[in-house]
Amino acid sequence: MSRNGRQFDALAPGPAVGASESAAARMVVGLSLYVLLYIIWFLLPRLTAADRALASVFAQIPAGLAAAVLSLLASRPAGLQPRARRAWRLLATGFALYALGDLIWLLTYVGIEESRVLAVARLSYFSHYVFVLLGLVSFQRFPKNRRERMTFGLDAATVFLGGLMAIWYFAIGPIASQAHANPNMVYVQMAFALADLQVLLGIAVNGVGRGEERYRAAFMTLLTGLVALLAGDIIYAQSRVAGITPDGGPADLIFMLRWLFVGLAAYMHLRVTSRGETAIREGLRSDRFDLLPLVAVGIGYLTLTASSFEQWSSTRGGLILAAVGLTGVVLARQVTAVRENVRLAGEAAARQTEARFRSLVQNASDLIVVVDEEGIVRYQTPSAERVLGYGAEALVGTRIVSLLPAEDAASIDATLAPARQKGASAPAEWRLRRGDGRWTRAEIIATNLLDDPNVRGVVLTIRDIEERKHFEEQLRHQALHDSLTGLPNRALLADRVSHAQARGQRGGLPSSLLLLDLDDFKTINDSMGHSAGDDVLVEVAKRLKSCLRSIDTAARLGGDEFAVLLEDTPDEVAALDVANRIASALRAPMRIAGTEVSVSASVGIVLSGRDELEGEIFRNADVAMYQAKKRGKGLCEVYEPGMHAAVLERLQLEADLRRAVALGEIVLHFQPIVDFHTGAWVGAEALARWSHPTRGLILPSSFIPVAEATGLILAIGRHVLEEACRFAGEWGRDRHVSVNLSARQLQEPGIVTQVVSALRHTGLRPDQLVLEITESVLMIETESTIQRLNELKALGVRVAIDDFGTGYSSLAYLEKLPVDILKLDQSFIRGLAPDGDLSPVARGVIDLGRALDLEIVAEGIERQEEANALIRAGCTRGQGYYFARPMEPHDLRRHFVEARVKVS
Ligand code: C2E
Ligand code: MG
Ligand code: MG
């Protein structure tokens, strides 16, 4: 049952409707009692005819009004169809008009002259018939199709004709026979008879029309009431014709009963609507056998028989009886035909259903096979061709076992055994041989229909799931593997690691985990593009696998992070051995996008012990790898329990440094740079110091690497630049300040504006600022670095290469780069030759610098001999403890005043 909104409306009647219903119920009870009393009174023969007539007519009025009010109530419920609402209103009006007619008619009994009121009373009565007809017709929906219209028309005609015969014989005929005696009465009675015909028409239409089933009882009651009206009218007309006053006679009793039925019908209709009783689908009237037309035929024959009584003869009687018999036989024949039709229609529907099921089974995408108790195929659907490649009937007569691999034969029993007991088995998976000899996987459901006489076998529904299985396997693979390299991913590795750990705990050999992080992979990605980066990763994966045994697992954890699980590694040495093999495999140059690239990886190694927790092994490997990275590129580190502390310390340092930067704990010391000829200091290098609240002054080597790794160097660098320029402003126009820039700073696009704003804020001239860049910056030199250096040069700022000679940068760079100053690394002047001279390399570098017109500044001069050797080699400037240690800014001023010239 569908519960749409409309039905809910009907299920929940508003308060007004509920009130109407109970009011109507009380009214119907009242009406019934009233009519009952009337009948009792009617049967008591105590009054004179005239009084009786007066009382009888008077008594009709309240009953008529009650019927009108009930009809009005019936038109009110919310869920009512508009058609029915209109119909009940029309009926209510009709009934009220009838009661009005009675009221006016009553006046003739209280002395008012009949001719004065008669016309009005009759008008009232007649209009009552019109409204009743309109009301009855309103109930009906016009039949939709031709067949329905035909049936409807014929049935209505039958009912009308049957009723017409009765009215004709009992009313119209007798009335017409009086035409010569009392023409006036004849006209009036004829008019009433015609009005009756109207109502008869309404009844015919309604009695055979299609109405909602739930209202059927109400309608029948209504029609009964109206038939009573017709009967009353006929009796009334006959009384008139016979010259008897009809008022107070049997016609009145019937009219009264009419009000009872009509009122009751209105109440029943109201009740059905407001209770929202389930609307049963309208039945097809034509398929059902209708009684009303038969009743009409019966009435017709009764009338005919009655008319024959006056001149009864055996011939006539016989003929009538024969006609009745004939009609009866024809009707019976009709009934049989209808029944037969219904049966045939049912059979056709059943055949259609069967055909539908057959074609469903035959065209099903699954294969359906029926096997007998011996497991021999008795039936196969044509889909065997499509599903397994077996032609029509190819399987019939074969044993189903022959389709399975020999070793799987037992699985048949496993599937069929439960089916034998329970009816249907759970889905099982079989391997089946296809028609072309290939194997496929199929899902089988067995249903035991051995007891079903239509089947007598076990039905196997077979669905090929090879493709689905394949897809599932693919999905599983995707979920556990890295899509780029095809290596297992972190999830799969974690699973294997935990299995290996479990094996170790059960007494097997320990396993070990290697965590690899490629060095400088970001540089490859940035300079060569992501697709080249991908190629490198794929090649690395290939090489990793080539270094491993089949029981080991190489995995990609994401980005440039790989891992290797070595099963059954006896000790650290074995693990290191593999790590070295991997390292040398990676070192071999690979050709990527037309360029030779060689990669290295930092490796952390953990030997799994017997009792670490799951997940701990990964964390330890991480720590070891972290340590390896910290020590330099391409190194291996085996995990030791102490490493955690180191890592923790570093994390602590990082947090401390962050705080220090915020609190301004980074301060500047300055080391003078001296001109060898004049002995005067020509500038100073700004060197960062961390003035730690508890640990005192911390040197850059302890915090600059952390700052660079975390990006804090950007904030520190900006601070140093501003401060250095500010102090240098106090040193006079011909002294410069050197500021160290880290590679990270140079990669930031904002560095140029930073320098501009530092100069503007402090008023320092651009040529008073030297930016020192270490050689390592030049190693990862990119177009943007060179461009940035040029932009800085364009400001008038000078650029120095720091620690020159320690890196691998070729001298060829020097020509290409916008450089003004070379800072000779201290290592050149450390071990002087026995004759107290610089090494040939150092001298060569100085010559080269001079040839390129670069200013040479020597670093780390600690002794006088070193200074002398430098002067002899043609170096003009330098800095070092021999001249001055790095000092606080105010010490620098004092030092300037006391500057001693130590050069001879
Ligand atoms: P650097 O730029 O080469 O600075 C020279 C380093 O040599 C300074 O070490 C200085 O104290 C030291 N030094 C000077 N004369 C002598 C000497 O006669 N003998 C010896 N043995 N050493 C001498 P410091 O101050 O510890 O700085 C170390 C490095 O930290 C610097 O090397 C520089 O690369 C970096 N650094 C310092 N301050 C900053 C900064 O503000 N930003 C950046 N990015 N790096 C900085
Ligand atoms: Mg420096
Ligand atoms: Mg240096």
Side-chain angles (χ1 to χ4, degrees), residues 718-748:
R718 180 178 313 168
H719 173 70
V720 169
L721 186 67
E722 289 270 347
E723 286 287 285
C725 292
R726 189 165 66 81
F727 284 117
E730 304 168 359
W731 300 339
R733 313 201 109 237
D734 43 357
R735 290 202 180 83
H736 72 264
V737 66
S738 288
V739 175
N740 295 289
L741 282 196
S742 86
R744 278 292 284 273
Q745 282 175 277
L746 211 58
Q747 280 160 10
E748 289 296 306

Short mmCIF file of all heavy atoms in Angstrom, two decimals, residues 718-748:
data_model
loop_
_atom_site.label_atom_id
_atom_site.label_comp_id
_atom_site.label_asym_id
_atom_site.label_seq_id
_atom_site.Cartn_x
_atom_site.Cartn_y
_atom_site.Cartn_z
N ARG A 718 68.28 38.08 8.15
CA ARG A 718 67.74 39.44 8.02
C ARG A 718 68.21 40.32 9.19
O ARG A 718 68.64 41.46 9.01
CB ARG A 718 66.22 39.39 7.98
CG ARG A 718 65.60 40.77 7.84
CD ARG A 718 64.10 40.69 7.76
NE ARG A 718 63.70 39.65 6.81
CZ ARG A 718 62.46 39.21 6.71
NH1 ARG A 718 61.51 39.70 7.47
NH2 ARG A 718 62.16 38.25 5.83
N HIS A 719 68.16 39.72 10.38
CA HIS A 719 68.57 40.43 11.58
C HIS A 719 70.05 40.82 11.48
O HIS A 719 70.43 41.97 11.76
CB HIS A 719 68.34 39.51 12.79
CG HIS A 719 68.87 40.02 14.09
ND1 HIS A 719 68.31 41.09 14.74
CD2 HIS A 719 69.92 39.59 14.87
CE1 HIS A 719 68.98 41.32 15.86
NE2 HIS A 719 69.96 40.42 15.96
N VAL A 720 70.90 39.87 11.07
CA VAL A 720 72.34 40.13 10.96
C VAL A 720 72.60 41.25 9.97
O VAL A 720 73.38 42.17 10.23
CB VAL A 720 73.09 38.83 10.53
CG1 VAL A 720 74.53 39.15 10.15
CG2 VAL A 720 73.05 37.81 11.65
N LEU A 721 71.91 41.19 8.81
CA LEU A 721 72.12 42.19 7.77
C LEU A 721 71.81 43.59 8.30
O LEU A 721 72.60 44.53 8.16
CB LEU A 721 71.21 41.84 6.59
CG LEU A 721 71.38 42.68 5.34
CD1 LEU A 721 72.74 42.43 4.69
CD2 LEU A 721 70.26 42.35 4.32
N GLU A 722 70.64 43.73 8.94
CA GLU A 722 70.23 45.05 9.47
C GLU A 722 71.23 45.57 10.50
O GLU A 722 71.68 46.71 10.43
CB GLU A 722 68.84 44.93 10.13
CG GLU A 722 67.68 44.72 9.16
CD GLU A 722 67.09 46.05 8.70
OE1 GLU A 722 67.40 47.08 9.32
OE2 GLU A 722 66.31 46.04 7.71
N GLU A 723 71.58 44.67 11.46
CA GLU A 723 72.47 45.07 12.54
C GLU A 723 73.86 45.45 12.03
O GLU A 723 74.43 46.47 12.44
CB GLU A 723 72.60 43.91 13.56
CG GLU A 723 71.37 43.72 14.41
CD GLU A 723 71.24 44.83 15.44
OE1 GLU A 723 71.97 44.83 16.45
OE2 GLU A 723 70.39 45.72 15.20
N ALA A 724 74.38 44.62 11.10
CA ALA A 724 75.72 44.86 10.57
C ALA A 724 75.78 46.22 9.90
O ALA A 724 76.71 47.00 10.13
CB ALA A 724 76.09 43.74 9.60
N CYS A 725 74.76 46.51 9.07
CA CYS A 725 74.74 47.80 8.38
C CYS A 725 74.64 48.96 9.38
O CYS A 725 75.24 50.02 9.20
CB CYS A 725 73.59 47.85 7.39
SG CYS A 725 73.79 46.73 6.01
N ARG A 726 73.86 48.72 10.45
CA ARG A 726 73.68 49.78 11.44
C ARG A 726 75.02 50.12 12.11
O ARG A 726 75.41 51.29 12.19
CB ARG A 726 72.67 49.32 12.49
CG ARG A 726 72.25 50.41 13.46
CD ARG A 726 70.99 49.99 14.20
NE ARG A 726 71.22 48.84 15.10
CZ ARG A 726 71.76 48.94 16.30
NH1 ARG A 726 72.14 50.12 16.75
NH2 ARG A 726 71.94 47.87 17.04
N PHE A 727 75.78 49.07 12.54
CA PHE A 727 77.07 49.33 13.20
C PHE A 727 78.06 49.94 12.23
O PHE A 727 78.79 50.88 12.57
CB PHE A 727 77.64 48.04 13.80
CG PHE A 727 76.94 47.62 15.06
CD1 PHE A 727 76.23 46.44 15.15
CD2 PHE A 727 77.01 48.45 16.20
CE1 PHE A 727 75.59 46.08 16.31
CE2 PHE A 727 76.37 48.09 17.37
CZ PHE A 727 75.65 46.89 17.43
N ALA A 728 78.08 49.42 10.99
CA ALA A 728 79.06 49.88 10.01
C ALA A 728 78.89 51.37 9.72
O ALA A 728 79.86 52.05 9.37
CB ALA A 728 78.95 49.07 8.72
N GLY A 729 77.65 51.85 9.89
CA GLY A 729 77.38 53.26 9.67
C GLY A 729 78.24 54.15 10.59
O GLY A 729 78.49 55.31 10.27
N GLU A 730 78.70 53.60 11.71
CA GLU A 730 79.47 54.41 12.66
C GLU A 730 80.98 54.37 12.38
O GLU A 730 81.75 54.99 13.09
CB GLU A 730 79.24 53.86 14.09
CG GLU A 730 77.79 53.81 14.50
CD GLU A 730 77.59 53.00 15.79
OE1 GLU A 730 78.59 52.48 16.34
OE2 GLU A 730 76.44 52.90 16.24
N TRP A 731 81.39 53.56 11.38
CA TRP A 731 82.83 53.35 11.20
C TRP A 731 83.49 54.32 10.22
O TRP A 731 84.67 54.18 9.91
CB TRP A 731 83.12 51.93 10.68
CG TRP A 731 82.63 50.82 11.58
CD1 TRP A 731 82.36 50.92 12.89
CD2 TRP A 731 82.37 49.49 11.19
NE1 TRP A 731 81.93 49.73 13.39
CE2 TRP A 731 81.93 48.81 12.34
CE3 TRP A 731 82.46 48.77 10.00
CZ2 TRP A 731 81.58 47.47 12.34
CZ3 TRP A 731 82.12 47.46 10.02
CH2 TRP A 731 81.67 46.80 11.17
N GLY A 732 82.75 55.23 9.66
CA GLY A 732 83.34 56.14 8.68
C GLY A 732 83.12 55.62 7.27
O GLY A 732 82.84 54.44 7.09
N ARG A 733 83.27 56.57 6.31
CA ARG A 733 82.85 56.27 4.96
C ARG A 733 83.75 55.27 4.24
O ARG A 733 83.33 54.62 3.29
CB ARG A 733 82.79 57.56 4.12
CG ARG A 733 82.08 58.69 4.83
CD ARG A 733 81.58 59.72 3.84
NE ARG A 733 80.13 59.69 3.73
CZ ARG A 733 79.48 59.50 2.62
NH1 ARG A 733 80.15 59.27 1.50
NH2 ARG A 733 78.18 59.51 2.59
N ASP A 734 85.03 55.15 4.67
CA ASP A 734 85.91 54.28 3.89
C ASP A 734 86.11 52.89 4.50
O ASP A 734 87.07 52.20 4.23
CB ASP A 734 87.26 54.96 3.62
CG ASP A 734 87.76 55.66 4.88
OD1 ASP A 734 87.00 55.61 5.89
OD2 ASP A 734 88.86 56.20 4.87
N ARG A 735 85.23 52.51 5.39
CA ARG A 735 85.31 51.15 5.91
C ARG A 735 84.06 50.36 5.52
O ARG A 735 82.96 50.90 5.49
CB ARG A 735 85.46 51.14 7.44
CG ARG A 735 86.80 51.66 7.87
CD ARG A 735 87.15 51.20 9.26
NE ARG A 735 88.46 51.73 9.62
CZ ARG A 735 88.65 52.94 10.11
NH1 ARG A 735 87.61 53.73 10.33
NH2 ARG A 735 89.85 53.36 10.38
N HIS A 736 84.25 49.07 5.21
CA HIS A 736 83.10 48.25 4.79
C HIS A 736 82.77 47.20 5.84
O HIS A 736 83.57 46.95 6.75
CB HIS A 736 83.39 47.59 3.44
CG HIS A 736 84.40 46.48 3.53
ND1 HIS A 736 85.75 46.67 3.27
CD2 HIS A 736 84.26 45.18 3.86
CE1 HIS A 736 86.37 45.53 3.45
NE2 HIS A 736 85.50 44.60 3.81
N VAL A 737 81.62 46.60 5.67
CA VAL A 737 81.25 45.49 6.54
C VAL A 737 80.94 44.28 5.66
O VAL A 737 80.35 44.40 4.60
CB VAL A 737 80.05 45.83 7.45
CG1 VAL A 737 78.78 46.05 6.65
CG2 VAL A 737 79.82 44.73 8.49
N SER A 738 81.45 43.09 6.11
CA SER A 738 81.18 41.85 5.36
C SER A 738 80.11 41.06 6.10
O SER A 738 80.21 40.85 7.31
CB SER A 738 82.44 40.99 5.28
OG SER A 738 83.35 41.56 4.40
N VAL A 739 79.09 40.65 5.37
CA VAL A 739 78.00 39.87 5.97
C VAL A 739 77.90 38.52 5.26
O VAL A 739 77.91 38.46 4.03
CB VAL A 739 76.66 40.64 5.83
CG1 VAL A 739 75.50 39.79 6.34
CG2 VAL A 739 76.72 41.96 6.57
N ASN A 740 77.86 37.43 6.08
CA ASN A 740 77.74 36.09 5.49
C ASN A 740 76.29 35.80 5.09
O ASN A 740 75.36 36.00 5.87
CB ASN A 740 78.18 35.03 6.50
CG ASN A 740 79.65 35.17 6.83
OD1 ASN A 740 80.51 34.87 6.01
ND2 ASN A 740 79.94 35.67 8.03
N LEU A 741 76.13 35.32 3.86
CA LEU A 741 74.80 34.91 3.40
C LEU A 741 74.81 33.40 3.23
O LEU A 741 75.75 32.86 2.66
CB LEU A 741 74.48 35.52 2.04
CG LEU A 741 74.05 36.97 1.93
CD1 LEU A 741 73.42 37.20 0.56
CD2 LEU A 741 73.03 37.33 3.01
N SER A 742 73.76 32.75 3.71
CA SER A 742 73.71 31.30 3.49
C SER A 742 72.96 31.02 2.19
O SER A 742 72.26 31.88 1.66
CB SER A 742 73.04 30.59 4.65
OG SER A 742 71.66 30.60 4.46
N ALA A 743 73.16 29.80 1.70
CA ALA A 743 72.54 29.42 0.42
C ALA A 743 71.03 29.64 0.46
O ALA A 743 70.43 30.12 -0.50
CB ALA A 743 72.86 27.97 0.11
N ARG A 744 70.40 29.27 1.57
CA ARG A 744 68.95 29.41 1.69
C ARG A 744 68.49 30.84 1.46
O ARG A 744 67.48 31.09 0.82
CB ARG A 744 68.48 28.98 3.10
CG ARG A 744 68.29 27.51 3.31
CD ARG A 744 67.11 26.97 2.51
NE ARG A 744 65.81 27.32 3.08
CZ ARG A 744 65.20 26.59 4.00
NH1 ARG A 744 65.77 25.50 4.47
NH2 ARG A 744 64.02 26.95 4.44
N GLN A 745 69.30 31.80 1.99
CA GLN A 745 68.91 33.21 1.85
C GLN A 745 68.95 33.64 0.40
O GLN A 745 68.10 34.38 -0.06
CB GLN A 745 69.86 34.09 2.66
CG GLN A 745 69.58 34.08 4.12
CD GLN A 745 70.63 34.89 4.86
OE1 GLN A 745 71.70 34.36 5.16
NE2 GLN A 745 70.33 36.14 5.13
N LEU A 746 69.95 33.11 -0.30
CA LEU A 746 70.12 33.51 -1.69
C LEU A 746 69.03 32.92 -2.58
O LEU A 746 68.74 33.44 -3.65
CB LEU A 746 71.50 33.05 -2.18
CG LEU A 746 72.12 33.95 -3.24
CD1 LEU A 746 72.25 35.38 -2.74
CD2 LEU A 746 73.48 33.40 -3.66
N GLN A 747 68.44 31.84 -2.11
CA GLN A 747 67.36 31.24 -2.89
C GLN A 747 66.05 32.02 -2.73
O GLN A 747 65.15 31.88 -3.54
CB GLN A 747 67.13 29.77 -2.47
CG GLN A 747 68.14 28.83 -3.10
CD GLN A 747 68.25 27.51 -2.36
OE1 GLN A 747 67.45 27.22 -1.47
NE2 GLN A 747 69.26 26.73 -2.71
N GLU A 748 65.95 32.81 -1.67
CA GLU A 748 64.73 33.59 -1.46
C GLU A 748 64.70 34.79 -2.39
O GLU A 748 65.66 35.55 -2.45
CB GLU A 748 64.66 34.11 -0.02
CG GLU A 748 64.41 33.06 1.02
CD GLU A 748 63.06 32.41 0.86
OE1 GLU A 748 62.05 33.13 0.83
OE2 GLU A 748 63.02 31.16 0.75
#
